Amino acid sequence: MEKRKILITGASKGLGLAISQKLSGEYTLILHASKPESFTNIEPGNHILCADFSDPEAINSFCKQLKKEHGDLYGVINNAGVTYDKPLNYQPEREIDAMLNVNLKAPILICKTAMKIFSLTQQGVIINISSVVGESGNAFQSVYAATKAGLTALSRSLAQEAAATNTEHKIRVLSVSPGFIETDMTATIPEAIKQKYFNMIPAKRFGKVDDIADTVAFLLSDKASYINGTNIHVNGGLI
Ligand SMILES: NC(=O)c1ccc[n+]([C@@H]2O[C@H](COP(=O)([O-])OP(=O)(O)OC[C@H]3O[C@@H](n4cnc5c(N)ncnc54)[C@H](OP(=O)(O)O)[C@@H]3O)[C@@H](O)[C@H]2O)c1
């Protein structure tokens, strides 16, 4: 049987890299990062499709190329994300735009492209990587948290939309909300704040990239065929 084809955005490091390593072999992968140089190693048989999502024109070109070259797409992991943590009062508009474009506009347009492709076979899975703060909120992450809340609402709505337009289909749309996971994104958080988070985690450890990659691999598989239109928290009990 031919391998299913999966797009993973932000696959050069952190969660995206761990997800790509977990899915490699079972699936054919389309790996995305902001630029090709972000990748150090590409498994033979996988594809590279890069774009800087802070630029709306680059998102549009990316989606056009995705549709043109990968009409057999089966799954999408919308994982690329950025955060610029500071009080909203001091947040420059360019940072607000970058978070809106990378974290929300790109996933929305990629979902639109994927849903068009999925409509041909009435099957496919989208997993949008949200965040615990999309539900809890977090001081100095107002815009980031808003984009992540947007992804959970997008996922729920699209799952309903797939059913509203087709009574018989195998399309699922989900979001996953990681808690505090050790990656480059959390590496620069000051120790005192890390300790504050640590004290709030009943599991008494920070998350590892494989905690998320294992969850994504399961949700993507047919074993999760009845999990749809919901948000899965992977946070050690943080909320
Ligand atoms: N780490 C956590 O604790 C945590 C918690 C909750 C949610 N999340 C979410 O999980 C996802 C992955 O986080 P991470 O911790 O793995 O982050 P990371 O290590 O900083 O990796 C971010 C990925 O996104 C890509 N990216 C960044 N800016 C981009 C842009 N302008 N255009 C296109 N791609 C861009 C990066 O590509 P380049 O290498 O080319 O820059 C990289 O592949 C994010 O959506 C994040 O919000 C993380």
Side-chain angles (χ1 to χ4, degrees), residues 7 32 49-51 53 58-66 110:
L7 166 68
H32 158 274
L49 195 55
C50 291
F53 289 161
I59 303 173
N60 277 313
S61 312
F62 176 89
C63 289
K64 274 192 193 139
Q65 204 178 340
L66 180 66
I110 293 168

Side-chain angles (χ1 to χ4, degrees), residues 118-169:
F118 294 174
S119 70
L120 303 174
T121 54
Q122 292 303 331
Q123 61 168 5
V125 181
I126 298 174
I127 300 173
N128 291 312
I129 304 297
S130 178
S131 167
V132 61
V133 303
E135 191 161 320
S136 65
N138 198 21
F140 314 128
Q141 285 194 319
S142 303
V143 180
Y144 175 76
T147 63
K148 294 300 184 180
L151 286 181
T152 58
L154 171 73
S155 309
R156 284 202 180 92
S157 304
L158 268 185
Q160 293 171 29
E161 205 165 295
T165 43
N166 306 284
T167 44
E168 297 240 345
H169 71 93

Side-chain angles (χ1 to χ4, degrees), residues 55-201:
D55 172 4
E57 278 184 29
I59 303 173
N60 277 313
S61 312
F62 176 89
C63 289
K64 274 192 193 139
Q65 204 178 340
L66 180 66
K67 189 154 178 261
K68 191 166 162 224
E69 294 175 8
H70 302 289
D72 54 348
L73 185 73
Y74 174 78
V76 173
I77 318 298
N78 272 318
N79 164 78
V82 282
T83 185
Y84 302 102
D85 298 353
K86 61 189 62 155
L88 186 59
N89 284 358
Y90 298 102
Q91 191 115 58
E93 196 171 339
R94 78 183 137 70
E95 289 183 357
I96 295 173
D97 286 341
M99 285 187 275
L100 291 173
N101 287 332
V102 177
N103 299 359
L104 196 53
K105 185 160 191 176
I108 289 173
L109 290 177
I110 293 168
C111 282
K112 180 178 172 183
T113 307
M115 291 301 265
K116 282 187 183 173
I117 295 171
F118 294 174
S119 70
L120 303 174
T121 54
Q122 292 303 331
Q123 61 168 5
V125 181
I126 298 174
I127 300 173
N128 291 312
I129 304 297
S130 178
S131 167
V132 61
V133 303
E135 191 161 320
S136 65
N138 198 21
F140 314 128
Q141 285 194 319
S142 303
V143 180
Y144 175 76
T147 63
K148 294 300 184 180
L151 286 181
T152 58
L154 171 73
S155 309
R156 284 202 180 92
S157 304
L158 268 185
Q160 293 171 29
E161 205 165 295
T165 43
N166 306 284
T167 44
E168 297 240 345
H169 71 93
K170 287 185 180 168
I171 297 172
R172 295 185 292 123
V173 188
L174 296 151
S175 55
V176 168
S177 288
F180 192 115
I181 314 293
E182 288 174 310
T183 68
D184 282 3
M185 190 178 264
T186 48
T188 54
I189 296 174
E191 269 316 308
I193 297 183
K194 275 193 196 169
Q195 191 57 47
K196 190 191 92 179
Y197 286 124
F198 189 87
N199 294 338
M200 291 160 63
I201 302 172

